Amino acid sequence: MKLAFTLSIKNIFGAKLRTFLNVFVLSFSFVVIIGLKGVMDGWDDQARRDSIDWQFGQGQLIHEDYDPLDSFTILDGKGPIPDDVSGLTPILVHQASIYPQGRMIGTIIKGIDPLQKSVLLPTQSLINSKFTFPVIIGKRMAESAKLSIGDEALIRWRDKNGTYDANRITIVDIFDSNVPAIDSGQIWMSIETLWQMTGLNNYASFFVAEKSYQHNPIQFWKFNSQEELLKPISVLVAQKNTSQSVIYFLLLTIALLAIFDTQVLSVFRRQSEIGTYIALGMTRQKVIGIFTFEGSLYSFLALILATIYGFPLLAWFAEVGFAVPPADQKMGIPVADTIFPIFGLKLVFGTIFLVLFTSTIVSFLPTRKISRLDPILALKGKKQ
């Protein structure tokens, strides 16, 4: 083993520029793979936390006729609030139109208990307001409707009998959330106010569960846990990871191809040396081990180089984050203005193992020719 290590070090450092290029490309693959995967892990963590804090709470109890992804179910997707709803915050969903500056915008009214603690919506702003119809909206809704705090807008809706009615709402607060599902095209008001407007007294479309909620089956209502509600995010992140794996594959392929070519050239040019080893009594397996170990050393040197420049670079990246383009923030999924990567031990050691394992395999493949090498011809300098 000591001989193999000594010979491998001598041969690797003797190559100089070729060794540096192989090690640098492989170290670059280390850093880029960890960096890109860290961004995806950071996005997944941020999207999950924001969705739980702002939208899902500890789960949702949804009326069986209501589908949050289907606006056609809003009319019929509601029902009387059951008797025992402790630990649940009722939300009533209703359609309406608002007319800011004379423009008509279709919107969704969501009535919620101003005293709720299930989500981070600033519903306390609706308490003791001096306005008749105080509402809160998100930053996306405020930008699209060109509304600010204190602005008024005409709103028109239909009550439970289909009769149109109208009045003026006042924006009392604008919240900043990364979750478009509670923001885009929506206004929030007290559920008591919405009951009075629509005549749907004591009705709700769904409930958001608090930490204290213990679910028991309720007729006409179905409970979706956090994991069920977060599944679309997990699927989307998995798809993004799959598409990014193409980049990982190309980077690794380039780096490993360089190592493979180096090993092929090394075996071809050093046949006389190999023949000498075998003639001196070294088994073919040991000679193969020397060349394989020599090739695998590239990955160890790459790991050292990646640590030298990659650790401070990734630490800085984790601190400043990845700025998300404005267009990507409007995809309809929770995306913050800046995503902060997460570099967990599983990611780092998993990447290290992947690169070390693949580089060792690639280093071994060209050395298989040694097992078929004729030492007599090799000592004579004849290429085989």
Side-chain angles (χ1 to χ4, degrees), residues 141-152:
M141 181 63 176
E143 291 173 357
S144 63
K146 295 180 173 58
L147 291 170
S148 303
I149 295 177
D151 288 351
E152 292 187 346

Side-chain angles (χ1 to χ4, degrees), residues 33 108 114 129 335 353 372-373 378 383:
I33 290 174
I108 300 295
S129 174
V335 182
F353 174 78
R372 301 187 298 270
L373 191 68
K383 304 303 179 182

Side-chain angles (χ1 to χ4, degrees), residues 163-195:
T163 303
Y164 281 99
D165 201 351
N167 213 310
R168 301 193 72 82
I169 57 173
T170 305
I171 312 300
V172 296
D173 199 359
I174 296 175
F175 58 86
D176 187 357
S177 171
N178 299 321
V179 184
I182 62 166
D183 183 345
S184 302
Q186 300 177 36
I187 60 176
W188 294 80
M189 64 171 54
S190 169
I191 194 170
E192 295 276 356
T193 303
L194 187 54
W195 284 343

Side-chain angles (χ1 to χ4, degrees), residues 60-134:
Q60 290 184 348
L61 186 68
I62 304 175
H63 192 272
E64 62 180 5
D65 294 329
Y66 177 64
D67 183 355
L69 301 179
D70 186 359
S71 59
F72 292 102
T73 63
I74 293 177
L75 182 62
D76 299 320
K78 57 178 68 75
I81 295 178
D83 295 333
D84 184 14
V85 290
S86 57
L88 292 171
T89 298
I91 297 178
L92 177 61
V93 183
H94 203 71
Q95 290 175 315
S97 298
I98 60 174
Y99 299 83
Q101 296 89 41
R103 297 173 293 113
M104 185 180 77
I105 300 176
T107 187
I108 300 295
I109 312 174
K110 288 187 175 178
I112 190 172
D113 182 3
L115 299 175
Q116 63 82 27
K117 296 182 180 180
S118 300
V119 290
L120 294 181
L121 287 167
T123 52
Q124 296 79 10
S125 302
L126 302 172
I127 302 174
N128 299 325
S129 174
K130 62 180 180 180
F131 302 105
T132 306
F133 291 95

Side-chain angles (χ1 to χ4, degrees), residues 85-348:
V85 290
S86 57
L88 292 171
T89 298
I91 297 178
L92 177 61
V93 183
H94 203 71
Q95 290 175 315
S97 298
I98 60 174
Y99 299 83
Q101 296 89 41
R103 297 173 293 113
M104 185 180 77
I105 300 176
T107 187
I108 300 295
I109 312 174
K110 288 187 175 178
I112 190 172
D113 182 3
L115 299 175
Q116 63 82 27
K117 296 182 180 180
S118 300
V119 290
L120 294 181
L121 287 167
T123 52
Q124 296 79 10
S125 302
L126 302 172
I127 302 174
N128 299 325
S129 174
K130 62 180 180 180
F131 302 105
T132 306
F133 291 95
V135 301
I136 61 175
I137 59 176
K139 63 177 182 178
R140 292 176 178 83
M141 181 63 176
E143 291 173 357
S144 63
K146 295 180 173 58
L147 291 170
S148 303
I149 295 177
D151 288 351
E152 292 187 346
L154 180 68
I155 185 171
R156 188 182 69 160
W157 71 93
R158 289 198 303 177
D159 62 18
K160 66 177 183 179
N161 299 316
T163 303
Y164 281 99
D165 201 351
N167 213 310
R168 301 193 72 82
I169 57 173
T170 305
I171 312 300
V172 296
D173 199 359
I174 296 175
F175 58 86
D176 187 357
S177 171
N178 299 321
V179 184
I182 62 166
D183 183 345
S184 302
Q186 300 177 36
I187 60 176
W188 294 80
M189 64 171 54
S190 169
I191 194 170
E192 295 276 356
T193 303
L194 187 54
W195 284 343
Q196 295 173 10
M197 291 168 55
T198 60
L200 295 167
N201 296 326
N202 207 40
Y203 269 63
S205 301
F206 65 96
F207 298 83
V208 178
E210 300 177 4
K211 291 183 178 180
S212 60
Y213 176 68
Q214 298 292 329
H215 176 62
N216 292 311
I218 302 176
Q219 189 177 13
F220 306 124
W221 298 85
K222 57 182 179 180
F223 182 75
N224 288 343
S225 65
Q226 276 187 0
E227 285 305 313
E228 291 174 317
L229 295 169
L230 292 170
K231 189 175 181 180
I233 296 176
S234 302
V235 171
L236 179 62
V237 172
Q239 291 175 345
K240 290 290 185 180
N241 276 323
T242 301
S243 61
Q244 280 196 352
S245 63
V246 177
I247 300 177
Y248 307 155
F249 175 77
L250 291 176
L251 286 172
L252 270 180
T253 300
I254 293 172
L256 296 177
L257 183 61
I259 295 176
F260 182 83
D261 287 344
T262 300
Q263 288 295 90
V264 170
L265 181 62
S266 180
V267 172
F268 178 76
R269 295 178 61 181
R270 295 162 60 189
Q271 289 191 30
S272 182
E273 178 185 343
I274 295 170
T276 302
Y277 292 152
I278 297 175
L280 290 174
M282 187 177 292
T283 64
R284 296 176 187 270
Q285 286 72 23
K286 287 185 178 181
V287 177
I288 292 174
I290 290 175
F291 279 80
T292 302
F293 182 70
E294 181 179 315
S296 63
L297 275 179
Y298 285 112
S299 57
F300 286 100
L301 293 174
L303 177 59
I304 295 173
L305 181 61
T307 303
I308 293 173
Y309 75 86
F311 181 80
L313 180 62
L314 293 178
W316 171 82
F317 189 33
E319 183 177 351
V320 302
F322 172 76
V324 180
D328 291 344
Q329 298 174 25
K330 300 179 181 179
M331 293 189 298
I333 55 177
V335 182
D337 296 338
T338 303
I339 295 177
F340 294 94
I342 296 177
F343 305 113
L345 292 178
K346 181 180 178 181
L347 168 62
V348 174

